[in-house]
Amino acid sequence: MFDISIIMINYNSEDYTINCLQSILNHTSKELTCQYIVVDNGSEKESYKKVQSYIETISNEITIELIRSNINTGFGSGNMIGVQKAKGKYLAFVNNDTILENDCLLSLKNFMDKRPDVGVCGPQAFTQDKKILPTIDHFASLGREIFGRKMLETINPKKYPKRKRLYNEPQQGQFVAGSFMFFRTEDFNTVGGFDTNIFLYYEETDICKRLSKINKSAYLVPDASFVHYHGASTEKSVAIKTELKISLLYIIKKHYGIIPFYVLLTYLQIRYFFSSIIKPKYWKLFYTLLLQAPLTKSLKHQQKIRPIV
């Protein structure tokens, strides 16, 4: 039994993976027993081999395992592959495009040890230019999508605390960002882990929503901090924007029901109808919305199987 199982995904971003692992090794207290699990999510051979070579150089120092998937399974499914090997009391899901600034894992563990009511927490995130990135956020909802986060924070600041604020004390939010999520393994398993129907985006919203239903809250722990090279592992494109809308509509239907789903779907259809007139590149996104954004249109179904090497 380990204190913490650290799970990380590599997908054709081997330099980020290596730098992230090194930063964890540099900043993590020796008093913690940690298990490292890296899931290569169907990367090109060269990317996988480079990570493999690096892991071989540190495998005598730590308990680490590299798992090779022959297909890109996405964020949730990729992490769930790692969960199958996890033996820690806590689970730390760390994006590979992050760099720890201090002993995040010890701070998060100490906080969770004292707070059985908390199901997940995360450190304060910063950009590489030291600008604040939101760690806590508000659940995706019809109101958030139509009126925006700032409006919600103005109307009801107690329910919707400011995301882009530097807190000095632990602060509760509705969910914490998926770039660094720290769970009690028991709670994670109780709610069923990540929803593997989702390929990318909103996985953290979904699991924190399920945690809230068993009265487990989400917290920012500000004395832990890290740098997130935000979006570095995923290139922006219309296909990615389409994937985001597919995931959004999926969780709206899952957690709020059919009426909010159709209200939001209609709103997005109207919005992207006009967007596609101005920017024809959005036509494919609009067409997917006309089809009601089914999971069958997800990028999950377009991944290529790679030979295991």
Side-chain angles (χ1 to χ4, degrees), residues 186-197:
E186 181 181 358
D187 295 333
F188 183 85
N189 290 336
T190 295
V191 298
F194 292 117
D195 184 340
T196 56
N197 285 317

Side-chain angles (χ1 to χ4, degrees), residues 180-234:
F180 199 134
M181 304 185 82
F182 193 89
F183 295 88
R184 187 174 291 102
T185 301
E186 181 181 358
D187 295 333
F188 183 85
N189 290 336
T190 295
V191 298
F194 292 117
D195 184 340
T196 56
N197 285 317
I198 304 171
F199 182 68
L200 286 175
Y201 305 113
Y202 293 100
E203 300 91 348
E204 66 268 67
T205 295
D206 172 70
I207 194 167
C208 290
K209 188 73 175 174
R210 285 182 277 129
L211 282 168
S212 72
K213 292 176 182 178
I214 62 168
N215 298 313
K216 295 284 185 172
S217 54
Y219 265 80
L220 158 68
V221 181
D223 62 351
S225 64
F226 71 107
V227 172
H228 185 203
Y229 295 89
H230 195 52
S233 57
T234 305

Side-chain angles (χ1 to χ4, degrees), residues 239-291:
I240 289 297
K241 189 181 284 287
T242 302
E243 189 69 27
L244 189 144
K245 301 306 178 191
I246 290 171
S247 297
L248 169 63
L249 286 161
Y250 170 78
I251 66 161
I252 292 294
K253 181 187 286 186
K254 176 178 177 179
H255 292 291
Y256 299 99
I258 199 72
I259 293 176
F261 167 79
Y262 277 115
V263 171
L264 181 58
L265 177 65
T266 302
Y267 166 76
L268 291 173
Q269 286 172 339
I270 294 170
R271 176 181 167 186
Y272 282 99
F273 168 73
F274 290 106
S275 294
S276 63
I277 293 173
I278 299 170
K279 297 180 179 179
K281 67 179 182 178
Y282 287 128
W283 164 249
K284 187 174 181 180
L285 170 52
F286 172 62
Y287 178 68
T288 301
L289 292 169
L290 283 181
L291 297 176

Side-chain angles (χ1 to χ4, degrees), residues 6-10 17 20-21 24 37-39 94-96:
I6 303 157
I7 300 172
M8 183 183 305
I9 292 175
N10 177 67
T17 299
C20 181
L21 282 170
I24 297 173
I37 302 167
V38 179
V39 179
V94 184
N95 271 25
N96 71 334

